[in-house]
Amino acid sequence: MPIPSDLVSDLRPLGRTGISVSPLTLGTSGMGSGVEPGSQAERDAVELATAMLHGPAAVVDTSNVYGGGNSERILGLALRESGIAPGRQIVTKVDADPETGVFDRDRVLRSYDESLARLGVDRVSLLHLHDPYRIDFAEAMGPQGAVAGLLELRASGAVDAIGIAAGKVSVVGRYVESDCFDVLLTHNRFTLVERRATVLLEAARQREMGVFNAAPFGGSLLARGSASGGTYAYRPAPPELVERVRQLERICASHGIDLATAALQFSLRSPLVDSTVVGISRPERIADLEQRRAVQVPDEFWDAIDDLGVPPSVVED
Ligand SMILES: NC(=O)c1ccc[n+]([C@@H]2O[C@H](COP(=O)([O-])OP(=O)(O)OC[C@H]3O[C@@H](n4cnc5c(N)ncnc54)[C@H](OP(=O)(O)O)[C@@H]3O)[C@@H](O)[C@H]2O)c1
């Protein structure tokens, strides 16, 4: 059953965009991969999408490329069947052409058109530039570059705000400093075990950009724990990271707090973050996340975490 629509929780501004976000944003990068039209897997995914669009989060995050386009297609099916509750919105991202890798102005406009067609909507408020890793910065900023496409969409009113959504701090920092973007989405780099993105978050804040912090569980390890063989940032976790998670689990156990709750609240409590983006693959996760959000974590717990010191970075950058 979808959660009643009056429960968009704890709205706050997304920087200077005029968009409101809730503490949690729901992510769909795992939605629809390999799902065939008309299959039971598609029905299950539509059910998940429906729960997201009627849940307590103001934003559902997708991209042109998630599930090879199926994430947007499934969100579009859910929208057509059950609509979207008041105060919620879908945010998407433009991606490079999946066949040629081209990521210029024209591709940005095509990518946005594809997204709108799959979602079955005529606009989104916020559109991110997604993972611009295969183009260099000068090319992206050139007159026919990807950023020109996004600036054009914003200037024409086709979107209200544009964001940069990617991981590598060395890449993302230049986009933030360009002052072209209204929003930053970083991932896997500001968590209980990783702080590499702190400089980005601070730079974004100085510019009054909105900030999404995605993947507070590192994609797996901090949701499942050190014994899970879980990955961090989509790669096998190195031994020193697993050892760090064991230390955290001991502190968690001594305060009666679950690791996943601590990982979620680490991001939620940061004044550098407007909204934390969590990926889920089943509807029950939504209520579970809200429960974890409500857990009272004592200051002594965070003091004990701080006493461990800033963890050595393990992500690729
Ligand atoms: N470049 C970008 O723009 C970018 C990059 C990365 C991520 N993102 C966005 O951020 C979202 C989150 O990233 P992510 O999904 O990679 O990482 P994540 O949120 O750190 O981790 C997702 C994993 O956590 C598990 N989980 C979620 N809620 C849970 C709960 N209440 N209890 C226990 N486990 C729970 C999920 O399990 P189940 O699957 O079993 O539900 C899922 O496997 C993505 O979906 C995407 O929307 C964007």
Side-chain angles (χ1 to χ4, degrees), residues 27 29 61 66 93 131 187 214-215 217-219 224 234 279 281 285 288:
S29 55
D61 178 80
Y66 289 164
K93 314 187 186 88
D131 291 351
H187 64 89
F217 302 133
R224 304 207 172 124
Y234 322 117
S281 62
R285 292 283 196 220
D288 185 76

Side-chain angles (χ1 to χ4, degrees), residues 36-121:
E36 295 294 334
S39 63
Q40 182 57 44
E42 184 183 73
R43 284 315 315 155
D44 295 344
V46 171
E47 191 190 325
L48 173 62
T50 303
M52 288 178 161
L53 298 175
H54 293 261
V59 172
V60 174
D61 178 80
T62 184
S63 91
N64 181 290
V65 81
Y66 289 164
N70 271 344
S71 167
E72 290 180 332
R73 191 177 64 76
I74 285 161
L75 287 166
L77 286 173
L79 271 177
R80 278 190 285 282
E81 284 179 19
S82 317
I84 183 166
R88 280 66 162 189
Q89 63 178 296
I90 297 172
V91 166
T92 192
K93 314 187 186 88
V94 290
D95 281 277
D97 185 298
E99 268 147 43
T100 62
V102 168
F103 208 177
D104 59 8
R105 170 205 173 267
D106 291 354
R107 170 58 198 163
V108 163
L109 302 188
R110 269 200 311 279
S111 178
Y112 186 43
D113 282 345
E114 287 169 8
S115 294
L116 296 181
R118 290 181 193 135
L119 292 167
V121 298

Side-chain angles (χ1 to χ4, degrees), residues 277-299:
V277 192
V278 180
I280 55 167
S281 62
R282 37 197 153 115
E284 317 81 87
R285 292 283 196 220
I286 298 174
D288 185 76
L289 285 166
E290 284 298 301
Q291 277 161 16
R292 291 182 190 281
R293 197 167 81 76
V295 171
Q296 295 292 322
V297 178
D299 288 345

Side-chain angles (χ1 to χ4, degrees), residues 106-246:
D106 291 354
R107 170 58 198 163
V108 163
L109 302 188
R110 269 200 311 279
S111 178
Y112 186 43
D113 282 345
E114 287 169 8
S115 294
L116 296 181
R118 290 181 193 135
L119 292 167
V121 298
D122 56 16
R123 76 193 302 274
V124 295
S125 291
L126 169 61
L127 186 66
H128 295 288
L129 177 69
H130 193 201
D131 291 351
Y133 294 135
R134 290 199 282 172
I135 43 171
D136 71 37
F137 181 69
E139 194 185 333
M141 297 299 292
Q144 292 305 312
V147 176
L150 282 160
L151 292 172
E152 211 174 299
L153 288 170
R154 188 178 60 187
S156 70
V159 299
D160 300 320
I162 59 174
I164 171 71
K168 290 185 183 176
V169 173
S170 54
V171 174
V172 178
R174 302 188 72 185
Y175 288 92
V176 169
E177 285 163 13
S178 75
D179 286 328
C180 291
F181 292 87
D182 309 299
V183 175
L184 163 72
L185 183 153
T186 181
H187 64 89
N188 288 289
R189 287 161 176 80
F190 187 69
T191 71
L192 259 189
V193 296
E194 202 30 270
R195 306 291 149 79
R196 195 181 270 264
T198 307
V199 287
L200 282 184
L201 302 177
E202 288 169 350
R205 269 285 176 263
Q206 276 163 15
R207 291 167 168 78
E208 295 177 27
M209 291 170 71
V211 174
F212 288 102
N213 184 38
F217 302 133
S220 165
L221 183 66
L222 299 175
R224 304 207 172 124
S226 63
S228 67
T231 55
Y232 189 86
Y234 322 117
R235 300 194 171 193
E240 66 272 25
L241 177 57
V242 176
E243 182 46 39
R244 182 77 176 201
V245 174
R246 284 197 199 104

